Amino acid sequence: MSLKAKIGPSILNADLCALYEESQKLLDNGADYLHLDVMDGHFVPNLTFGHPVVKCLRNKIKNAFFETHMMVSKPEQWIENMADAGVDQYTFHIEPVVNSVPDICRKVREAGMKVGLALKPGTEVDVVKDYISMADMILIMTVEPGFGGQKFMSDMMPKVKWLRENYPNLDIEVDGGVGLNTIDECAKAGANMIVSGTAVIQSPDQKEVIGKLKKSVECALHKH
Ligand SMILES: O=C(CO)[C@H](O)[C@H](O)COP(=O)(O)O
Ligand SMILES: [Fe+2]
């Protein structure tokens, strides 16, 4: 498998009353996928949207790859709903479900979606060792989950490096505070799937930002 650089903007800080237009604009400007942040007000102290909204968006955008970042206490509860809404990848946090990760991975796959496993900043990276074979991607959070626009945590880069060294073909995603000032660190550490919210959404030239983020990752992949 050869790794690809992929940029998945987060629409968390976009104008959510124009969700479709904002999403389509990101795709037209070069986004490889959409990263949809689902929060339940319990696992994280914030609320966003759930499967009904994702389904509406899917009805308008037929072809794009949708990843839902499930910041919820009961990820097992929403698998069928999200599959029905047209989600391609179901990325859930392992912290609230440490004893049932394999079971949830199996259910996500049976529902026809790819599996992403997400780790909060305080979670040691080697806990995913047992689950790598069940996952399509590991997400290393570079902020505390819950809000867009936070400061990037450089001290998460050793986790990314560890994953890349041990799993050269694994899709590794970073999420939180990633933009033009922080992308090189992520790329050098070995991340190939990049979530970027504020840095892309607030730019007057989304295409340029997405292009630069991608180029940084592509350069690092060539060097690896
Ligand atoms: O999961 C998230 C927050 O919990 C978001 O995906 C993330 O914060 C992206 O936004 P930004 O680039 O503005 O940090
Ligand atoms: Fe996210």
Side-chain angles (χ1 to χ4, degrees), residues 8-60:
S10 156
I11 45 83
L12 189 57
N13 277 354
D15 176 4
L16 290 180
C17 89
L19 181 60
Y20 159 62
E21 289 81 1
E22 292 275 340
S23 301
Q24 189 58 55
K25 184 173 156 195
L26 290 162
L27 293 164
D28 293 343
N29 282 325
D32 296 292
Y33 65 104
L34 292 179
H35 176 93
L36 305 170
D37 289 301
V38 176
M39 304 186 190
D40 67 351
H42 189 256
F43 178 67
V44 289
N46 199 4
L47 272 178
T48 53
F49 47 80
H51 52 90
V53 171
V54 176
K55 192 167 187 170
C56 289
L57 190 61
R58 175 55 90 198
N59 283 337
K60 295 223 173 200

Short mmCIF file of all heavy atoms in Angstrom, two decimals, residues 8-60:
data_model
loop_
_atom_site.label_atom_id
_atom_site.label_comp_id
_atom_site.label_asym_id
_atom_site.label_seq_id
_atom_site.Cartn_x
_atom_site.Cartn_y
_atom_site.Cartn_z
N GLY A 8 -8.49 16.83 5.02
CA GLY A 8 -9.92 16.75 5.35
C GLY A 8 -10.32 17.92 6.22
O GLY A 8 -10.18 17.87 7.45
N PRO A 9 -10.82 18.97 5.62
CA PRO A 9 -11.22 20.13 6.45
C PRO A 9 -12.35 19.78 7.41
O PRO A 9 -13.23 18.96 7.10
CB PRO A 9 -11.67 21.16 5.41
CG PRO A 9 -11.02 20.74 4.15
CD PRO A 9 -10.97 19.25 4.19
N SER A 10 -12.28 20.42 8.58
CA SER A 10 -13.35 20.30 9.57
C SER A 10 -14.26 21.51 9.40
O SER A 10 -13.79 22.65 9.34
CB SER A 10 -12.76 20.31 10.98
OG SER A 10 -13.72 20.75 11.91
N ILE A 11 -15.56 21.26 9.37
CA ILE A 11 -16.49 22.37 9.16
C ILE A 11 -17.00 22.94 10.49
O ILE A 11 -17.91 23.76 10.52
CB ILE A 11 -17.69 21.96 8.25
CG1 ILE A 11 -18.29 20.61 8.66
CG2 ILE A 11 -17.26 21.89 6.80
CD1 ILE A 11 -19.24 20.68 9.75
N LEU A 12 -16.34 22.52 11.59
CA LEU A 12 -16.78 22.92 12.93
C LEU A 12 -16.95 24.43 13.09
O LEU A 12 -17.94 24.89 13.65
CB LEU A 12 -15.75 22.39 13.95
CG LEU A 12 -16.05 22.49 15.42
CD1 LEU A 12 -17.34 21.77 15.75
CD2 LEU A 12 -14.89 21.88 16.22
N ASN A 13 -16.00 25.19 12.61
CA ASN A 13 -16.07 26.63 12.76
C ASN A 13 -16.56 27.35 11.50
O ASN A 13 -16.37 28.54 11.34
CB ASN A 13 -14.70 27.20 13.16
CG ASN A 13 -14.48 27.09 14.67
OD1 ASN A 13 -15.39 26.69 15.39
ND2 ASN A 13 -13.31 27.44 15.13
N ALA A 14 -17.22 26.58 10.62
CA ALA A 14 -17.79 27.20 9.42
C ALA A 14 -19.17 27.78 9.75
O ALA A 14 -19.67 27.62 10.87
CB ALA A 14 -17.92 26.15 8.32
N ASP A 15 -19.76 28.45 8.79
CA ASP A 15 -21.12 28.97 8.97
C ASP A 15 -22.08 27.78 8.82
O ASP A 15 -22.42 27.37 7.71
CB ASP A 15 -21.38 30.03 7.90
CG ASP A 15 -22.82 30.54 7.95
OD1 ASP A 15 -23.56 30.12 8.86
OD2 ASP A 15 -23.18 31.34 7.07
N LEU A 16 -22.49 27.23 9.95
CA LEU A 16 -23.24 25.96 9.91
C LEU A 16 -24.64 26.10 9.33
O LEU A 16 -25.26 25.11 8.96
CB LEU A 16 -23.28 25.32 11.30
CG LEU A 16 -21.92 24.78 11.79
CD1 LEU A 16 -22.07 24.17 13.18
CD2 LEU A 16 -21.33 23.74 10.84
N CYS A 17 -25.14 27.32 9.23
CA CYS A 17 -26.46 27.45 8.59
C CYS A 17 -26.33 27.35 7.08
O CYS A 17 -27.33 27.22 6.37
CB CYS A 17 -27.21 28.69 9.05
SG CYS A 17 -26.91 30.15 8.11
N ALA A 18 -25.08 27.35 6.61
CA ALA A 18 -24.83 27.14 5.18
C ALA A 18 -23.94 25.91 5.03
O ALA A 18 -22.97 25.91 4.26
CB ALA A 18 -24.18 28.37 4.57
N LEU A 19 -24.29 24.87 5.75
CA LEU A 19 -23.43 23.69 5.82
C LEU A 19 -23.13 23.10 4.44
O LEU A 19 -21.98 22.76 4.13
CB LEU A 19 -24.10 22.63 6.71
CG LEU A 19 -23.34 21.34 6.91
CD1 LEU A 19 -21.98 21.58 7.54
CD2 LEU A 19 -24.15 20.38 7.79
N TYR A 20 -24.16 22.96 3.63
CA TYR A 20 -23.95 22.38 2.30
C TYR A 20 -23.02 23.25 1.45
O TYR A 20 -22.05 22.77 0.87
CB TYR A 20 -25.30 22.17 1.58
CG TYR A 20 -25.14 22.05 0.09
CD1 TYR A 20 -24.39 21.00 -0.46
CD2 TYR A 20 -25.70 22.99 -0.78
CE1 TYR A 20 -24.21 20.89 -1.83
CE2 TYR A 20 -25.53 22.89 -2.14
CZ TYR A 20 -24.78 21.84 -2.66
OH TYR A 20 -24.59 21.75 -4.00
N GLU A 21 -23.31 24.55 1.40
CA GLU A 21 -22.51 25.46 0.57
C GLU A 21 -21.05 25.48 1.05
O GLU A 21 -20.12 25.46 0.25
CB GLU A 21 -23.09 26.88 0.60
CG GLU A 21 -24.40 27.05 -0.14
CD GLU A 21 -25.62 26.60 0.67
OE1 GLU A 21 -25.44 26.16 1.84
OE2 GLU A 21 -26.74 26.66 0.14
N GLU A 22 -20.88 25.55 2.37
CA GLU A 22 -19.52 25.58 2.94
C GLU A 22 -18.77 24.29 2.61
O GLU A 22 -17.58 24.31 2.28
CB GLU A 22 -19.59 25.75 4.47
CG GLU A 22 -20.12 27.10 4.93
CD GLU A 22 -19.03 28.17 4.99
OE1 GLU A 22 -17.84 27.84 5.05
OE2 GLU A 22 -19.39 29.37 4.96
N SER A 23 -19.47 23.17 2.70
CA SER A 23 -18.84 21.87 2.43
C SER A 23 -18.47 21.74 0.96
O SER A 23 -17.37 21.29 0.62
CB SER A 23 -19.79 20.73 2.82
OG SER A 23 -20.11 20.82 4.19
N GLN A 24 -19.41 22.12 0.11
CA GLN A 24 -19.15 22.02 -1.34
C GLN A 24 -17.99 22.93 -1.74
O GLN A 24 -17.15 22.55 -2.58
CB GLN A 24 -20.43 22.38 -2.12
CG GLN A 24 -20.34 22.09 -3.62
CD GLN A 24 -20.02 20.61 -3.91
OE1 GLN A 24 -20.73 19.72 -3.45
NE2 GLN A 24 -18.95 20.36 -4.65
N LYS A 25 -17.93 24.10 -1.12
CA LYS A 25 -16.84 25.03 -1.41
C LYS A 25 -15.48 24.40 -1.05
O LYS A 25 -14.51 24.49 -1.81
CB LYS A 25 -17.05 26.32 -0.61
CG LYS A 25 -16.07 27.43 -0.87
CD LYS A 25 -16.52 28.69 -0.13
CE LYS A 25 -15.35 29.61 0.14
NZ LYS A 25 -15.67 30.63 1.14
N LEU A 26 -15.43 23.74 0.09
CA LEU A 26 -14.18 23.08 0.52
C LEU A 26 -13.78 22.00 -0.48
O LEU A 26 -12.60 21.88 -0.86
CB LEU A 26 -14.36 22.46 1.91
CG LEU A 26 -14.47 23.47 3.05
CD1 LEU A 26 -15.06 22.83 4.30
CD2 LEU A 26 -13.10 24.09 3.36
N LEU A 27 -14.75 21.24 -0.95
CA LEU A 27 -14.46 20.18 -1.92
C LEU A 27 -14.00 20.79 -3.24
O LEU A 27 -13.04 20.32 -3.86
CB LEU A 27 -15.68 19.29 -2.12
CG LEU A 27 -16.07 18.47 -0.87
CD1 LEU A 27 -17.48 17.91 -0.99
CD2 LEU A 27 -15.07 17.33 -0.64
N ASP A 28 -14.66 21.85 -3.65
CA ASP A 28 -14.27 22.52 -4.90
C ASP A 28 -12.86 23.11 -4.79
O ASP A 28 -12.17 23.28 -5.79
CB ASP A 28 -15.26 23.66 -5.24
CG ASP A 28 -16.64 23.12 -5.60
OD1 ASP A 28 -16.75 21.91 -5.89
OD2 ASP A 28 -17.60 23.91 -5.55
N ASN A 29 -12.46 23.42 -3.57
CA ASN A 29 -11.13 24.00 -3.35
C ASN A 29 -10.06 22.96 -3.07
O ASN A 29 -8.96 23.29 -2.63
CB ASN A 29 -11.18 25.02 -2.22
CG ASN A 29 -11.78 26.34 -2.68
OD1 ASN A 29 -11.56 26.75 -3.83
ND2 ASN A 29 -12.54 27.01 -1.83
N GLY A 30 -10.39 21.69 -3.26
CA GLY A 30 -9.35 20.66 -3.19
C GLY A 30 -9.38 19.73 -1.99
O GLY A 30 -8.47 18.90 -1.84
N ALA A 31 -10.39 19.85 -1.13
CA ALA A 31 -10.47 18.94 0.02
C ALA A 31 -10.60 17.50 -0.48
O ALA A 31 -11.35 17.23 -1.42
CB ALA A 31 -11.67 19.29 0.90
N ASP A 32 -9.86 16.58 0.17
CA ASP A 32 -9.93 15.17 -0.23
C ASP A 32 -11.08 14.45 0.47
O ASP A 32 -11.55 13.42 0.00
CB ASP A 32 -8.62 14.47 0.13
CG ASP A 32 -7.46 15.04 -0.65
OD1 ASP A 32 -7.43 14.84 -1.87
OD2 ASP A 32 -6.61 15.73 -0.06
N TYR A 33 -11.47 14.97 1.61
CA TYR A 33 -12.60 14.38 2.35
C TYR A 33 -13.13 15.43 3.31
O TYR A 33 -12.50 16.48 3.50
CB TYR A 33 -12.18 13.10 3.07
CG TYR A 33 -11.15 13.23 4.18
CD1 TYR A 33 -11.52 13.15 5.52
CD2 TYR A 33 -9.79 13.41 3.90
CE1 TYR A 33 -10.58 13.24 6.54
CE2 TYR A 33 -8.84 13.50 4.92
CZ TYR A 33 -9.24 13.41 6.24
OH TYR A 33 -8.31 13.50 7.25
N LEU A 34 -14.30 15.16 3.89
CA LEU A 34 -14.84 16.06 4.91
C LEU A 34 -14.78 15.39 6.27
O LEU A 34 -15.16 14.22 6.42
CB LEU A 34 -16.30 16.43 4.58
CG LEU A 34 -16.53 17.29 3.34
CD1 LEU A 34 -18.03 17.54 3.16
CD2 LEU A 34 -15.78 18.63 3.41
N HIS A 35 -14.29 16.14 7.25
CA HIS A 35 -14.18 15.65 8.63
C HIS A 35 -15.33 16.29 9.41
O HIS A 35 -15.36 17.52 9.60
CB HIS A 35 -12.81 16.07 9.18
CG HIS A 35 -12.58 15.74 10.61
ND1 HIS A 35 -11.98 14.57 11.03
CD2 HIS A 35 -12.83 16.45 11.75
CE1 HIS A 35 -11.87 14.57 12.36
NE2 HIS A 35 -12.39 15.69 12.81
N LEU A 36 -16.29 15.48 9.81
CA LEU A 36 -17.51 15.99 10.44
C LEU A 36 -17.46 15.71 11.94
O LEU A 36 -17.45 14.54 12.37
CB LEU A 36 -18.73 15.33 9.80
CG LEU A 36 -18.82 15.48 8.26
CD1 LEU A 36 -19.91 14.59 7.68
CD2 LEU A 36 -19.06 16.94 7.88
N ASP A 37 -17.39 16.76 12.74
CA ASP A 37 -17.20 16.63 14.19
C ASP A 37 -18.54 16.47 14.91
O ASP A 37 -19.32 17.42 15.00
CB ASP A 37 -16.47 17.87 14.72
CG ASP A 37 -15.02 17.90 14.30
OD1 ASP A 37 -14.28 16.95 14.64
OD2 ASP A 37 -14.61 18.85 13.60
N VAL A 38 -18.76 15.28 15.43
CA VAL A 38 -20.01 14.98 16.14
C VAL A 38 -19.72 14.99 17.64
O VAL A 38 -18.85 14.25 18.12
CB VAL A 38 -20.54 13.59 15.71
CG1 VAL A 38 -21.78 13.22 16.52
CG2 VAL A 38 -20.86 13.60 14.21
N MET A 39 -20.42 15.83 18.39
CA MET A 39 -20.19 15.94 19.84
C MET A 39 -21.51 15.79 20.58
O MET A 39 -22.55 16.29 20.12
CB MET A 39 -19.60 17.32 20.17
CG MET A 39 -18.32 17.64 19.43
SD MET A 39 -17.62 19.19 19.99
CE MET A 39 -16.34 19.44 18.74
N ASP A 40 -21.43 15.12 21.74
CA ASP A 40 -22.67 14.78 22.45
C ASP A 40 -22.90 15.57 23.74
O ASP A 40 -23.84 15.30 24.48
CB ASP A 40 -22.70 13.27 22.75
CG ASP A 40 -21.62 12.85 23.77
OD1 ASP A 40 -20.76 13.69 24.11
OD2 ASP A 40 -21.66 11.68 24.20
N GLY A 41 -22.01 16.53 24.05
CA GLY A 41 -22.19 17.30 25.29
C GLY A 41 -21.89 16.50 26.54
O GLY A 41 -22.15 16.96 27.66
N HIS A 42 -21.34 15.31 26.37
CA HIS A 42 -21.07 14.43 27.51
C HIS A 42 -19.62 13.97 27.50
O HIS A 42 -18.87 14.21 28.43
CB HIS A 42 -22.03 13.23 27.46
CG HIS A 42 -21.99 12.39 28.68
ND1 HIS A 42 -21.35 11.17 28.74
CD2 HIS A 42 -22.51 12.60 29.92
CE1 HIS A 42 -21.45 10.67 29.96
NE2 HIS A 42 -22.15 11.51 30.69
N PHE A 43 -19.21 13.38 26.39
CA PHE A 43 -17.78 13.01 26.24
C PHE A 43 -16.94 14.28 26.15
O PHE A 43 -15.80 14.33 26.59
CB PHE A 43 -17.59 12.14 25.00
CG PHE A 43 -16.15 11.77 24.74
CD1 PHE A 43 -15.47 10.93 25.62
CD2 PHE A 43 -15.46 12.27 23.64
CE1 PHE A 43 -14.13 10.60 25.39
CE2 PHE A 43 -14.13 11.94 23.41
CZ PHE A 43 -13.46 11.10 24.29
N VAL A 44 -17.52 15.30 25.52
CA VAL A 44 -16.88 16.62 25.44
C VAL A 44 -17.90 17.68 25.85
O VAL A 44 -19.10 17.47 25.67
CB VAL A 44 -16.36 16.93 24.00
CG1 VAL A 44 -15.16 16.09 23.66
CG2 VAL A 44 -17.46 16.75 22.97
N PRO A 45 -17.42 18.81 26.37
CA PRO A 45 -18.38 19.83 26.85
C PRO A 45 -18.88 20.73 25.73
O PRO A 45 -18.78 21.95 25.79
CB PRO A 45 -17.55 20.61 27.88
CG PRO A 45 -16.14 20.48 27.40
CD PRO A 45 -16.02 19.15 26.71
N ASN A 46 -19.39 20.13 24.68
CA ASN A 46 -19.90 20.92 23.55
C ASN A 46 -20.86 20.03 22.77
O ASN A 46 -20.79 18.80 22.85
CB ASN A 46 -18.72 21.35 22.65
CG ASN A 46 -19.07 22.51 21.74
OD1 ASN A 46 -20.17 23.07 21.82
ND2 ASN A 46 -18.14 22.89 20.88
N LEU A 47 -21.73 20.67 22.00
CA LEU A 47 -22.71 19.96 21.17
C LEU A 47 -22.56 20.42 19.73
O LEU A 47 -22.36 21.61 19.48
CB LEU A 47 -24.12 20.36 21.59
CG LEU A 47 -24.85 19.62 22.69
CD1 LEU A 47 -26.21 20.30 22.91
CD2 LEU A 47 -25.07 18.15 22.34
N THR A 48 -22.68 19.48 18.82
CA THR A 48 -22.70 19.92 17.41
C THR A 48 -23.94 19.36 16.72
O THR A 48 -25.04 19.86 16.92
CB THR A 48 -21.41 19.52 16.67
OG1 THR A 48 -21.19 18.12 16.83
CG2 THR A 48 -20.21 20.31 17.16
N PHE A 49 -23.75 18.31 15.95
CA PHE A 49 -24.88 17.76 15.18
C PHE A 49 -24.75 16.25 15.15
O PHE A 49 -23.70 15.69 15.49
CB PHE A 49 -24.89 18.32 13.75
CG PHE A 49 -23.53 18.27 13.09
CD1 PHE A 49 -23.06 17.09 12.52
CD2 PHE A 49 -22.69 19.39 13.06
CE1 PHE A 49 -21.80 17.02 11.94
CE2 PHE A 49 -21.42 19.33 12.47
CZ PHE A 49 -20.98 18.14 11.92
N GLY A 50 -25.80 15.59 14.71
CA GLY A 50 -25.80 14.13 14.66
C GLY A 50 -26.16 13.61 13.28
O GLY A 50 -26.10 14.34 12.29
N HIS A 51 -26.59 12.36 13.26
CA HIS A 51 -26.83 11.70 11.98
C HIS A 51 -27.90 12.35 11.10
O HIS A 51 -27.78 12.30 9.87
CB HIS A 51 -27.12 10.21 12.20
CG HIS A 51 -28.20 9.96 13.19
ND1 HIS A 51 -29.52 9.87 12.83
CD2 HIS A 51 -28.17 9.80 14.53
CE1 HIS A 51 -30.24 9.65 13.91
NE2 HIS A 51 -29.44 9.61 14.96
N PRO A 52 -28.95 13.00 11.66
CA PRO A 52 -29.93 13.61 10.75
C PRO A 52 -29.30 14.70 9.86
O PRO A 52 -29.61 14.81 8.67
CB PRO A 52 -30.98 14.21 11.69
CG PRO A 52 -30.86 13.41 12.94
CD PRO A 52 -29.40 13.11 13.07
N VAL A 53 -28.39 15.47 10.46
CA VAL A 53 -27.72 16.53 9.70
C VAL A 53 -26.76 15.92 8.68
O VAL A 53 -26.70 16.36 7.52
CB VAL A 53 -26.99 17.51 10.65
CG1 VAL A 53 -26.11 18.49 9.88
CG2 VAL A 53 -28.00 18.27 11.49
N VAL A 54 -26.03 14.89 9.11
CA VAL A 54 -25.09 14.23 8.18
C VAL A 54 -25.87 13.66 6.99
O VAL A 54 -25.44 13.75 5.83
CB VAL A 54 -24.29 13.12 8.90
CG1 VAL A 54 -23.39 12.38 7.93
CG2 VAL A 54 -23.46 13.72 10.05
N LYS A 55 -27.04 13.10 7.26
CA LYS A 55 -27.85 12.51 6.18
C LYS A 55 -28.32 13.58 5.19
O LYS A 55 -28.29 13.37 3.98
CB LYS A 55 -29.06 11.78 6.79
CG LYS A 55 -29.78 10.90 5.79
CD LYS A 55 -30.77 9.98 6.48
CE LYS A 55 -31.35 8.99 5.48
NZ LYS A 55 -32.11 7.93 6.12
N CYS A 56 -28.73 14.73 5.70
CA CYS A 56 -29.14 15.84 4.82
C CYS A 56 -27.97 16.25 3.93
O CYS A 56 -28.14 16.49 2.73
CB CYS A 56 -29.57 17.06 5.63
SG CYS A 56 -31.12 16.84 6.46
N LEU A 57 -26.78 16.33 4.55
CA LEU A 57 -25.60 16.75 3.78
C LEU A 57 -25.30 15.70 2.70
O LEU A 57 -24.98 16.06 1.56
CB LEU A 57 -24.41 16.92 4.73
CG LEU A 57 -23.16 17.57 4.16
CD1 LEU A 57 -23.45 18.99 3.68
CD2 LEU A 57 -22.03 17.59 5.20
N ARG A 58 -25.41 14.44 3.06
CA ARG A 58 -25.14 13.37 2.09
C ARG A 58 -26.13 13.42 0.93
O ARG A 58 -25.78 13.13 -0.22
CB ARG A 58 -25.19 12.01 2.80
CG ARG A 58 -25.04 10.83 1.87
CD ARG A 58 -23.77 10.91 1.03
NE ARG A 58 -22.63 10.29 1.67
CZ ARG A 58 -21.35 10.53 1.31
NH1 ARG A 58 -21.07 11.40 0.36
NH2 ARG A 58 -20.36 9.92 1.92
N ASN A 59 -27.38 13.81 1.21
CA ASN A 59 -28.36 13.91 0.13
C ASN A 59 -27.98 14.96 -0.90
O ASN A 59 -28.34 14.87 -2.06
CB ASN A 59 -29.75 14.24 0.70
CG ASN A 59 -30.38 13.01 1.31
OD1 ASN A 59 -30.03 11.88 0.95
ND2 ASN A 59 -31.30 13.20 2.25
N LYS A 60 -27.23 15.96 -0.45
CA LYS A 60 -26.81 17.02 -1.36
C LYS A 60 -25.44 16.77 -1.96
O LYS A 60 -25.13 17.26 -3.05
CB LYS A 60 -26.77 18.36 -0.60
CG LYS A 60 -28.11 18.82 -0.13
CD LYS A 60 -28.21 20.29 -0.41
CE LYS A 60 -29.59 20.83 -0.12
NZ LYS A 60 -29.81 22.09 -0.82
#
